[in-house]
Amino acid sequence: MSATKNILILGGTGYAGSALAREAVLRGHSVTAVSRSAPAAPVDGVQYVSADALADDIDLGAAQVVIGALSPRAENAGTLLKSYRRLMDKTRAAGARLVLVGGFSCLRREAGAPRMIEGESFPPEVPEAVVVEAKENMDVLNALLADVSDLDWLFVSPAMEFSAWMPGEDLGRHRVGGDVALFDENGRSAISGPDYARAVLDEIETPAHRRAQIGVAY
């Protein structure tokens, strides 16, 4: 069993954040979740802190791992890169590991191809807010890729079907790839919240990738 870690989750009451908090507690880690809103279904064992993680200067405390699961929506659109740059600096100074929940559109269709957000047009039925969020996630990934410090970071892109609107089924399995999107034999790219969280916690407990983007899907 891996050593217990102090884990701080920014956006810890959202879809991804709450799944990560639940899995981390199940594995015996000490978890603090920061969010503007109170959790609809609090996870036993998680310490909740009320703060605007996109706007406030968050105290990392004794965190050994900092997870960013923020969404730049509504009035917070356009703030993700600035907030994560600040978080990068604070995490580096603390000697902690930074793990960010990325976006599917930051992956490539095939090796050497442009990332989807850079090389494809979104269909008209995709809400503008989703497009804006995807572009902000790509800005964050570019900042990480350009970082020349010793920051220990990981950018974890979920499958295309991954959200509170497409929660999927807890299958108890997952695949991990690089920056090329994973699809199943039927051409589907999906992952549930619990299985995504397991992939992330596996990486936190036994790091196999550093300073890299990975993708998670079935």
Side-chain angles (χ1 to χ4, degrees), residues 38-184:
V43 177
D44 289 343
V46 175
Q47 178 184 355
Y48 290 95
V49 175
S50 178
D52 186 347
L54 281 165
D56 296 343
D57 191 14
I58 303 299
D59 181 4
L60 302 188
Q64 297 163 291
V65 179
V66 179
I67 299 177
L70 302 174
S71 297
R73 295 172 184 163
E75 68 275 9
N76 287 320
T79 64
L80 193 63
L81 179 58
K82 179 180 178 181
S83 298
Y84 275 159
R85 280 193 185 279
R86 185 173 61 215
L87 189 62
M88 288 167 63
D89 291 340
K90 292 174 70 69
T91 305
R92 182 190 305 111
R97 189 175 196 206
L98 179 64
V99 179
L100 299 184
V101 176
F104 173 77
S105 297
C106 296
L107 295 166
R108 309 176 195 273
R109 290 281 181 184
E110 57 186 31
R115 297 177 193 277
M116 284 179 265
I117 188 63
E118 298 173 327
E120 297 183 4
S121 297
F122 283 84
E125 63 269 19
V126 176
E128 179 62 22
V130 174
V131 177
V132 170
E133 186 173 341
K135 290 179 178 179
E136 290 202 51
N137 271 308
M138 191 64 236
D139 289 341
V140 171
L141 177 56
N142 281 332
L144 290 169
L145 293 170
D147 179 71
V148 294
S149 75
D150 59 351
L151 173 66
D152 184 358
W153 62 267
L154 185 68
F155 188 91
V156 188
S157 289
M160 181 168 60
E161 296 180 28
F162 175 78
S163 72
W165 299 275
M166 294 183 288
E169 184 180 356
D170 182 355
L171 300 181
R173 58 180 173 82
H174 63 268
R175 289 185 294 154
V176 176
D179 64 3
V180 176
L182 297 173
F183 296 87
D184 65 16

Side-chain angles (χ1 to χ4, degrees), residues 5-35 39-49 65-69 99 101 162 193-201 204-205:
K5 296 184 182 298
N6 292 320
I7 300 176
L8 178 70
I9 305 176
L10 305 185
T13 60
Y15 178 71
S18 59
L20 290 162
R22 185 173 293 105
E23 181 65 21
V25 167
L26 285 174
R27 297 188 185 206
H29 299 292
S30 176
V31 180
T32 301
V34 178
S35 180
V43 177
D44 289 343
V46 175
Q47 178 184 355
Y48 290 95
V49 175
V65 179
V66 179
I67 299 177
V99 179
V101 176
F162 175 78
D195 288 321
Y196 175 85
R198 291 185 184 106
V200 173
L201 265 296
I204 287 173
E205 293 181 342

